[in-house]
């Protein structure tokens, strides 16, 4: 499609803890916290990166992403962002192949194997941390 994966967005409930995991276990660097609040939608996010790999950790506070976090849990990958030199042709191609289907949205095959491993381990760490906190 003439595009390259730019960033993956992952839902977290504890942003400082998620940043700590990414820094200590995976040696990712973190950006400043960005706050988006508009019309009932409220999130805090941080982009973490290592080389060309980038993840955005999103802590939903209110709105549809908060409901998604409550339903699917921490570590849910909900958005893949691509870069392209020709957005109009990609839009047409995406519409032609139906690439906005749920199956495609959940397909991480476009992600490098090393980044898939990081996401899998990170999600597991978040789940274990949440379980440990609820047992305390």
């Amino acid at each position: 499609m003439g595009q390259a994966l730019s960033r993956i967005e992952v839902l977290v409930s504890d942003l400082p803890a998620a940043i700590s995991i990414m820094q200590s276990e995976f040696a990712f660097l973190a950006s400043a916290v960005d706050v988006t609040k508009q019309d009932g939608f409220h999130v805090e996010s941080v982009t973490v990166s290592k080389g060309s790999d980038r993840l955005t950790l999103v802590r939903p506070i209110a709105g549809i992403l908060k409901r998604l976090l409550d339903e699917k849990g921490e570590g849910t990958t909900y958005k893949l962002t691509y870069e392209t030199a020709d957005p109009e042709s990609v839009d047409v191609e995406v519409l032609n192949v139906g690439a906005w289907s749920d199956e495609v949205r959940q397909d991480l095959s476009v992600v490098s194997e090393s980044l898939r491993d990081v996401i899998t381990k990170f999600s597991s760490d978040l789940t274990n941390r949440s379980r440990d906190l609820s047992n305390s």
Side-chain angles (χ1 to χ4, degrees):
M1 277 191 211
Q3 58 189 353
L5 184 66
S6 169
R7 181 179 70 242
I8 300 169
E9 297 191 17
V10 179
L11 298 176
V12 301
S13 62
D14 184 336
L15 193 56
I19 294 166
S20 178
I21 290 169
M22 293 306 294
Q23 290 174 325
S24 64
E25 293 190 30
F26 304 107
F28 274 62
L29 301 174
S31 69
V33 175
D34 182 40
V35 177
T36 303
K37 189 174 184 180
Q38 179 180 353
D39 299 327
F41 179 83
H42 185 187
V43 299
E44 297 174 340
S45 61
V46 168
T47 298
V48 294
S49 61
K50 181 178 179 182
S52 62
D53 292 335
R54 292 192 306 171
L55 298 173
T56 298
L57 309 175
V58 178
R59 177 182 169 253
I61 297 166
I64 192 166
L65 293 181
K66 174 67 171 131
R67 290 189 297 275
L68 183 62
L69 174 65
D70 292 345
E71 179 184 318
K72 300 287 185 176
E74 279 198 291
T76 298
T77 300
Y78 77 95
K79 183 178 180 182
L80 305 176
T81 303
Y82 294 87
E83 292 179 359
T84 182
D86 187 4
E88 291 175 1
S89 69
V90 171
D91 285 347
V92 169
E93 191 169 348
V94 165
L95 289 173
N96 288 339
V97 299
W100 298 123
S101 68
D102 287 337
E103 293 80 21
V104 173
R105 276 189 225 141
Q106 297 302 319
D107 182 12
L108 292 180
S109 65
V110 296
V111 178
S112 70
E113 186 174 338
S114 62
L115 188 54
R116 272 197 310 268
D117 291 345
V118 167
I119 293 168
T120 301
K121 173 80 168 84
F122 174 67
S123 295
S124 175
D125 289 350
L126 289 174
T127 301
N128 291 337
R129 186 189 60 78
S130 293
R131 186 177 49 243
D132 291 346
L133 289 174
S134 65
N135 290 335
S136 299

